[in-house]
Amino acid sequence: MQVSSPEEGEIRYYDGIAFNLGTDVDEFGRMIIGKSQVFLLKMADQLDFMKESWVKG
């Protein structure tokens, strides 16, 4: 996966995941496939952590 630099576009964070608006979205403003995969994997990790915390608590 390509690492984007701040010079290539504005960087925003959603749920702790950095999105570079110059390199991580297509011409219609949608996430590119590679960034979508990263986002979904990190969200799944967060949900798994929440599930484990809830079951133990």
Side-chain angles (χ1 to χ4, degrees):
M1 172 172 268
Q2 176 183 349
V3 176
S4 48
S5 67
E7 295 84 29
E8 295 173 351
E10 180 182 347
I11 296 178
R12 294 185 182 175
Y13 291 86
Y14 299 100
D15 293 318
I17 302 168
F19 288 93
N20 186 320
L21 298 180
T23 59
D24 295 336
V25 296
D26 65 9
E27 64 270 11
F28 301 108
R30 300 174 298 196
M31 281 188 282
I32 59 172
I33 292 173
K35 187 55 91 166
S36 295
Q37 292 170 339
V38 169
F39 182 77
L40 291 173
L41 288 171
K42 288 189 178 188
M43 289 300 292
D45 284 342
Q46 290 177 6
L47 290 173
D48 189 47
F49 174 76
M50 291 173 57
K51 178 183 169 189
E52 290 176 9
S53 295
W54 185 71
V55 170
K56 290 179 182 178

